Amino acid sequence: MGHGTNPRDTVLDIIKPSNFAGGMEFNGLTYTVTKKQEVEGKWTSQEVDLLHRITGYAPKGSITAVMGPSGAGKSTFLDGLAGRIASGSLKGKVSLDGTEVSTSLIKRTSAYIMQEDRLFPMLTVYETLMFAADFRLGSISRSEKKNTVEKMIEQLGLTSARNTYIGDEGTRGISGGERRRVSIGVDIIHGPSLLFLDEPTSGLDSTSAHSVIEKVHHIARLGSTVILTIHQPSFRIQMLLDHLIILARGKLMYQGSPRDVTNYLGRMGRKLPKGENAIEHLLDVIQEYDQSELGVDPLAKFCLTGLRPPKLSDDLSSSTIPPTPPVSGRDRKRNRVPVRGFDHSVRSPWSSRSWSANQSGVMETLRFTPSRNRRDRTSTDLSSPGYYTYPSEILPGTPTPHSSDYTVNEDDYLTPAAIPDRGNVNRRYPGPKFANSSAGEIWVLVRRNFTNIRRTPELFLSRLVVLSLMGGIMATMFLRPKDDLQGITNLLSFFIFTVCVFFFSSNDAVPAFIQERYIFIRETSHNAYRASSYAIAGMLTYLPFLAIQALPYAAVVWKALELRGSFLYFFVVLYASLLSTNSFVVFVSSVVPNYIMGFAAVIAFTALFFLFCGFFLNQHGIPRAWKWMNVISTMKYPYQGILMNQFQNNHTFGEDPFGNALTGEVILKQLSVDLKEFKKWEMVFWMLGWAVLYRFLFYIVLRFASKNQRT
């Protein structure tokens, strides 16, 4: 019992079994958010606890199932344990094998499997797992990685689907159950000691769901701590669960072995109807209270103090049986009460709870007691190993940082803290933060990108075909322009249209990151690779493809229009234009939430860049308040670079109406374009600089904004 608490408050003392082999413990988890609601026509802010003082544990080598009705806070609770709640709201402490842990440590020792399977559809099962091994297994040999992947495929029952594409709506691939098992395999390839699964059976048929939980059960038995949320598990799945945590409205309703639910209902004053499942009946009882005027607070208080909840007015199933008297562990083994659906001889090591009344007879205390080596404890026995207390007050907490922040604070388990010197067991950081060097990560990401492009060449080929066709059309329209005013006008029109075509050709890259965003979040949430490696690999991947797209267009129009200057420079300008434009579009795709917003933003900026590129008004004619738009316009630099390449010479392109020769220098002066030769290459450097800047901004968004965290 906590010190200094109100004597009327009784707390739940959870005694872990004497043979408790470790696992995750959580103490006083409270997650508070601010919600706005309208009251009498006025909007007011109110703080709401989505999680309220939840204390308990998840044993190692077992499956801990978090259950409860819709809105109970199951996924929120899982996110809290996994360090996926952003700063400012979550309070409490979490420890792993007796050591308080930080977000950094959680990310290195755990895996989090989301409800939706985010995988690359055109990779096979083997390739998907092999890339995961490359990311997670570091510098071990290639043959060892292959052996690990082959064993994983066999253990997950994916042998028959080994060389099958993952698939999606447009490509036939593996089944839903196999896809879920692949997702699990991707995240456990490195042997995490903690495994979190959010609704792993969602959307699966009963057979596939049971198969998935069987594989998870096997993973747990190999020594991992497995915590999963699950909604309405079947009877066969319930047989595989070792430990239950039942929530409602963010409060703890029950914690313990599935086989103890019947006795728990009896102590609550509810009789289990014949032939009904105990877990389902407890959920029904919780739902009844939740829909009544009493709410779930009486059940939360019963779980905390043992004080029997009041009967519901329409409660026809109120129990007439008295609370279960305390019995010895030996008597429990001899007179075991059968609970439908569980084999008591092989289930988890926790037996039923002892039940006692305090002297006043008002408060009742629940005590969780192991079936073996049972011994009485008093409330002062807090120093004994394995004794776990439920604090009466919410533990002090500090703002929780993002997973990328590394400041030390001992009161918040999500804040990385220096582990105190309590022996070597508390210094078990699992190696470096990332398994590979940056160069190694970039190499793996580039290989995967090339594999995906090879399997889905439509995007690359569509751009290549469009630019090649547009080059042919432009060549025929502006074929051999004459040396007169009309010829100069035609050349200027050709140049600005060329710049626009190259800018628009990258617009279809908007979905590039939007499609991969959730894969990126899943992979980086547990340190598969760095955000910087992802940004660099994306740019390196497109370097050769963008060059291939620019070359046919440049070759076709250069000969047909008999352009002057350097062909190499003309090609470099087009290539650099594609680089800067592609980087800009990728950056936009990382900021916007969906395709529609992405295309709208790109079109809007395209119009602005076109307006201020210097074609309609030269840079000296643009109002001073808008000159900054001329600087950031990525169309300005390829347009002026092409003009310089064409007109930086003394060739006469015609005469003006007064009979004066229009040389290249004269034309550039009229267009307010610099005449200096080195300025040509300055335009290229500007475009490359914008390409790097937009990729850097893309990295910033990845690093600090693309996190799968609650706020």
Side-chain angles (χ1 to χ4, degrees):
M1 185 177 297
H3 299 287
T5 62
N6 191 314
R8 294 177 296 176
D9 293 333
T10 306
V11 298
L12 176 64
D13 293 333
I14 302 176
I15 303 177
K16 292 175 293 188
S18 58
N19 60 349
F20 184 74
M24 174 169 273
E25 303 167 55
F26 38 93
N27 196 328
L29 288 188
T30 299
Y31 175 37
T32 305
V33 297
T34 301
K35 291 187 175 181
K36 291 185 178 181
Q37 57 182 2
E38 187 176 5
V39 179
E40 297 180 354
K42 296 182 179 180
W43 287 94
T44 60
S45 298
Q46 181 180 6
E47 289 191 345
V48 178
D49 285 349
L50 299 186
L51 299 177
H52 182 68
R53 299 171 59 186
I54 299 177
T55 293
Y57 61 95
K60 179 185 291 185
S62 303
I63 294 181
T64 297
V66 182
M67 300 176 62
S70 298
K74 301 185 293 295
S75 295
T76 304
F77 174 64
L78 198 70
D79 287 345
L81 294 181
R84 296 161 66 88
I85 292 181
S87 59
S89 300
L90 186 66
K91 297 179 181 179
K93 294 179 184 289
V94 168
S95 61
L96 182 61
D97 296 337
T99 301
E100 291 183 19
V101 293
S102 64
T103 296
S104 178
L105 183 59
I106 285 288
K107 291 178 70 174
R108 277 182 274 175
T109 58
S110 68
Y112 190 107
I113 299 171
M114 305 177 189
Q115 289 190 34
E116 297 184 7
D117 302 313
R118 301 289 184 171
L119 303 168
F120 288 102
M122 297 311 295
L123 295 181
T124 66
V125 170
Y126 174 79
E127 289 170 339
T128 300
L129 293 173
M130 196 65 208
F131 280 121
D134 287 334
F135 287 129
R136 302 296 182 93
L137 298 184
S139 58
I140 68 173
S141 67
R142 187 73 175 173
S143 61
E144 289 178 309
K145 291 179 182 178
K146 290 181 178 179
N147 290 336
T148 301
V149 169
E150 294 293 353
K151 290 179 181 178
M152 181 65 66
I153 289 175
E154 182 178 355
Q155 290 173 354
L156 294 175
L158 295 168
T159 304
S160 61
R162 181 185 184 280
N163 297 316
T164 304
Y165 290 141
I166 298 299
D168 57 8
E169 296 81 2
T171 305
R172 187 176 181 85
I174 58 179
S175 67
E178 290 170 334
R179 187 193 303 268
R180 186 59 49 88
R181 278 177 272 162
V182 173
S183 295
I184 294 173
V186 165
D187 284 314
I188 67 171
I189 195 75
H190 60 304
S193 60
L194 271 172
L195 180 60
F196 301 100
L197 301 99
D198 191 11
E199 297 283 359
T201 61
S202 177
L204 301 180
D205 59 82
S206 60
T207 301
S208 297
H210 180 259
S211 175
V212 167
I213 300 300
E214 265 193 330
K215 303 305 177 185
V216 174
H217 184 267
H218 176 69
I219 294 167
R221 289 299 183 263
L222 293 177
S224 296
T225 300
V226 177
I227 307 174
L228 58 86
T229 61
I230 193 165
H231 188 66
Q232 293 183 336
S234 66
F235 168 77
R236 292 191 300 166
I237 290 178
Q238 290 183 25
M239 290 283 290
L240 298 172
L241 306 179
D242 301 294
H243 193 64
L244 290 184
I245 296 174
I246 298 181
L247 306 176
R249 300 293 179 184
K251 299 178 180 179
L252 186 65
M253 300 286 105
Y254 173 80
Q255 178 175 221
S257 171
R259 67 179 182 178
D260 292 326
V261 175
T262 299
N263 289 337
Y264 187 80
L265 285 166
R267 292 190 291 268
M268 186 188 294
R270 301 296 294 246
K271 184 177 180 180
L272 180 65
K274 185 177 180 180
E276 189 166 330
N277 183 279
I279 298 175
E280 293 178 358
H281 186 65
L282 176 57
L283 292 174
D284 290 341
V285 170
I286 293 172
Q287 192 76 4
E288 290 176 16
Y289 274 87
D290 188 29
Q291 294 175 355
S292 71
E293 295 181 355
L294 296 175
V296 297
D297 286 344
L299 299 184
K301 192 171 184 180
F302 171 70
C303 182
L304 176 67
T305 66
L307 180 64
R308 179 179 291 182
K311 297 179 182 179
L312 297 177
S313 58
D314 58 345
D315 185 8
L316 301 179
S317 59
S318 297
S319 174
T320 59
I321 62 175
T324 305
V327 295
S328 67
R330 180 179 303 172
D331 290 338
R332 287 194 183 277
K333 291 180 180 179
R334 284 203 304 259
N335 304 308
R336 184 165 300 176
V337 180
V339 180
R340 183 174 180 267
F342 298 98
D343 182 355
H344 303 284
S345 62
V346 296
R347 298 311 298 161
S348 64
W350 300 274
S351 72
S352 301
R353 282 72 170 154
S354 62
W355 183 263
S356 62
N358 59 14
Q359 292 180 350
S360 64
V362 178
M363 295 294 182
E364 296 170 323
T365 304
L366 267 177
R367 179 165 293 175
F368 292 73
T369 310
S371 58
R372 299 179 181 178
N373 299 325
R374 174 177 173 164
R375 48 180 174 164
D376 294 331
R377 297 177 187 261
T378 63
S379 60
T380 59
D381 192 15
L382 298 178
S383 61
S384 302
Y387 196 85
Y388 198 86
T389 60
Y390 200 138
S392 59
E393 300 294 337
I394 299 175
L395 294 177
T398 57
T400 304
H402 290 277
S403 60
S404 57
D405 299 333
Y406 297 100
T407 56
V408 176
N409 190 296
E410 295 179 356
D411 292 329
D412 193 332
Y413 91 91
L414 292 179
T415 307
I419 295 181
D421 188 7
R422 302 172 189 165
N424 292 334
V425 69
N426 292 325
R427 294 181 177 273
R428 292 177 296 177
Y429 278 99
K433 184 176 181 181
F434 296 96
N436 300 291
S437 65
S438 294
E441 292 171 354
I442 293 171
W443 171 241
V444 176
L445 286 165
V446 168
R447 286 196 294 112
R448 188 174 70 176
N449 290 343
F450 270 99
T451 301
N452 280 317
I453 292 175
R454 188 176 74 251
R455 300 272 172 79
T456 55
E458 296 84 5
L459 182 61
F460 165 69
L461 289 178
S462 63
R463 296 183 196 174
L464 181 62
V465 170
V466 167
L467 286 178
S468 299
L469 288 176
M470 291 305 300
I473 294 173
M474 299 293 283
T476 55
M477 284 189 63
F478 298 97
L479 184 66
R480 298 187 185 91
K482 297 179 180 180
D483 287 337
D484 56 17
L485 285 176
Q486 185 60 50
I488 296 173
T489 302
N490 291 346
L491 280 176
L492 295 179
S493 300
F494 164 74
F495 292 149
I496 191 61
F497 189 81
T498 294
V499 172
C500 290
V501 165
F502 272 68
F503 196 99
F504 278 110
S505 69
S506 294
N507 286 6
D508 55 2
V510 169
F513 179 70
I514 295 177
Q515 291 177 334
E516 295 184 13
R517 176 180 287 147
Y518 291 103
I519 297 178
F520 168 82
I521 290 173
R522 175 178 60 79
E523 292 178 333
T524 56
S525 62
H526 294 277
N527 298 340
Y529 48 80
R530 300 166 178 82
S532 57
S533 300
Y534 182 86
I536 295 172
M539 188 169 188
L540 292 178
T541 301
Y542 281 98
L543 287 179
F545 294 105
L546 296 179
I548 294 173
Q549 291 172 19
L551 185 58
Y553 183 94
V556 170
V557 300
W558 181 266
K559 187 67 175 177
L561 273 70
E562 297 179 346
L563 299 178
R564 296 182 178 276
S566 168
F567 171 76
L568 176 62
Y569 179 83
F570 182 67
F571 165 71
V572 169
V573 166
L574 297 183
Y575 181 38
S577 175
L578 282 178
L579 285 176
S580 60
T581 303
N582 182 265
S583 296
F584 169 74
V585 173
V586 170
F587 163 65
V588 171
S589 72
S590 69
V591 176
V592 298
N594 51 56
Y595 305 140
I596 297 175
M597 291 291 294
F599 283 117
V602 169
I603 291 172
F605 276 101
T606 300
L608 289 174
F609 290 166
F610 184 35
L611 178 62
F612 291 98
C613 71
F615 176 74
F616 297 101
L617 288 175
N618 62 49
Q619 55 187 349
H620 298 301
I622 296 176
R624 180 173 299 178
W626 289 107
K627 285 188 180 296
W628 62 275
M629 279 298 302
N630 176 254
V631 175
I632 69 170
S633 172
T634 53
M635 288 188 181
K636 164 191 173 181
Y637 304 100
Y639 177 60
Q640 290 195 2
I642 294 174
L643 289 178
M644 292 178 187
N645 190 54
Q646 177 69 19
F647 296 118
Q648 275 186 351
N649 53 62
N650 292 320
H651 178 77
T652 301
F653 292 88
E655 296 180 348
D656 63 14
F658 303 101
N660 299 318
L662 291 174
T663 63
E665 292 185 359
V666 172
I667 295 173
L668 290 180
K669 284 182 179 179
Q670 292 180 354
L671 296 175
S672 299
V673 177
D674 206 303
L675 300 175
K676 298 176 182 177
E677 179 72 19
F678 72 88
K679 286 290 184 178
K680 288 199 321 183
W681 292 102
E682 186 177 302
M683 297 298 105
V684 174
F685 294 142
W686 269 100
M687 286 184 281
L688 295 179
W690 281 115
V692 173
L693 176 62
Y694 284 129
R695 286 288 172 174
F696 177 74
L697 294 176
F698 175 58
Y699 159 73
I700 294 298
V701 174
L702 297 184
R703 182 69 173 81
F704 299 103
S706 294
K707 294 182 180 296
N708 192 15
Q709 290 183 313
R710 298 174 185 265
T711 57

